[in-house]
């Protein structure tokens, strides 16, 4: 008896071919979007008198920030740097991924992307992080007691501040700094370590990088003079 090919036998090659075409289309779109972002970032850097490199010439992943150590793999690209309205700045795209394995042993990667701005500060700062408060940070704070509370209840509701040096945290987050963060800090996170400030947000359009740089620069300007005197740089 001769087997007659079924409908399923005929359909499978078509479905497989369509899957390959769709995957190729997604890859082509991602590659085009990557090149377009590189071009827009390079044009933005040139417009503001900054240098630009697709690759990281600074070894930025070695900077002492917890964000830059997250995940199972990470990278920095589209770096612009130079002096911008006074301070020396560095802006860049940063990504990291987390690997996971399902019940069938298949491995997958989950990517997280950020835009970052790095500026120097006139102090030698203990580690400190400021980020928007959310359900996950509230749960973590309840378990670890790491979040530092301040006199402003509104500030405590909207931001979480973590540092091993509470004295430094209270000196930094004075009334002026808290008022500025309440007005301008939504959607941004800040990390201080040594003489460096890192400001970041979830991936944004290239045109928004200027706003990110402005936010980092203005945060730097809000740092109280008492911090500079209590924690002198050098």
């Amino acid at each position: 008896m001769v087997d007659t090919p079924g409908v399923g036998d005929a359909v499978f090659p078509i479905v497989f071919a369509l899957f390959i075409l769709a995957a190729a289309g997604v890859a082509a779109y991602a590659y085009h979007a990557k090149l377009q972002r590189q071009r827009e970032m390079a044009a933005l850097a040139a417009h503001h008198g900054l240098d630009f490199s697709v690759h990281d010439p600074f070894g930025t992943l070695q900077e002492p920030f917890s964000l830059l150590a997250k995940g199972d793999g990470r990278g920095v690209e589209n770096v612009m740097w130079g002096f911008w309205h006074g301070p020396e700045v560095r802006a860049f795209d940063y990504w990291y991924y987390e690997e996971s394995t399902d019940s069938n042993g298949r491995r997958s990667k989950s990517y997280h992307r950020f835009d970052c701005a790095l500026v120097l500060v006139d102090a030698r700062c203990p580690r400190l992080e400021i980020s928007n408060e959310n359900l996950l940070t509230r749960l973590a704070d309840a378990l670890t007691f790491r979040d530092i509370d301040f006199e402003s209840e509104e500030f405590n509701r909207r931001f979480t501040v973590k540092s091993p040096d509470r004295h430094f945290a209270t000196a930094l987050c004075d009334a002026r700094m808290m008022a500025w963060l309440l007005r301008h800090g939504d959607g941004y996170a800040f990390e201080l370590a040594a003489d460096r400030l890192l400001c970041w947000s979830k991936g944004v359009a290239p045109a928004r990088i200027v706003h990110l740089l402005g936010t980092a620069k203005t945060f730097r300007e809000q740092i109280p003079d008492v911090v500079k005197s209590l924690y002198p740089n050098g």
Side-chain angles (χ1 to χ4, degrees), residues 23-154:
V26 170
Y29 175 80
Y31 180 70
H32 174 76
K34 183 175 182 177
L35 291 181
Q36 181 64 21
R37 184 172 181 86
Q38 289 173 1
R39 288 191 289 266
E40 291 180 10
M41 294 281 279
L44 180 70
H47 179 74
H48 290 276
L50 301 173
D51 293 312
F52 175 80
S53 173
V54 171
H55 306 291
D56 177 24
F58 297 102
T60 300
L61 291 177
Q62 302 304 312
E63 295 285 353
F65 300 110
S66 62
L67 176 70
L68 303 183
K70 288 182 178 293
D72 299 302
R74 58 202 65 84
V76 168
E77 57 192 5
N78 297 330
V79 185
M80 59 180 71
W81 69 93
F83 290 91
W84 185 78
H85 295 281
E88 188 173 5
V89 300
R90 188 191 314 170
F92 52 92
D93 292 340
Y94 167 69
W95 55 263
Y96 73 85
Y97 65 78
E98 296 171 320
E99 289 186 322
S100 60
T101 305
D102 65 17
S103 58
N104 295 316
R106 292 188 292 264
R107 300 183 66 81
S108 61
K109 295 178 180 179
S110 176
Y111 282 83
H112 307 268
R113 302 182 185 278
F114 302 85
D115 286 300
C116 303
L118 189 154
V119 297
L120 298 180
V121 298
D122 297 326
R124 196 75 181 176
C125 303
R127 289 182 175 273
L128 179 140
E129 298 178 37
I130 302 175
S131 58
N132 291 128
E133 186 76 275
N134 56 47
L135 179 59
L136 292 178
T137 60
R138 291 190 190 99
L139 290 173
D141 295 340
L143 293 173
T144 63
F145 303 101
R146 290 179 57 198
D147 189 21
I148 299 172
D149 286 332
F150 298 86
E151 293 182 0
S152 170
E153 288 301 323
E154 182 183 5

Side-chain angles (χ1 to χ4, degrees), residues 153-175:
E153 288 301 323
E154 182 183 5
F155 182 81
N156 293 335
R157 285 194 304 271
R158 289 175 53 185
F159 293 93
T160 180
V161 179
K162 298 177 181 179
S163 174
D165 190 329
R166 179 179 290 270
H167 181 62
F168 172 70
T170 54
L172 177 75
C173 296
D174 63 359

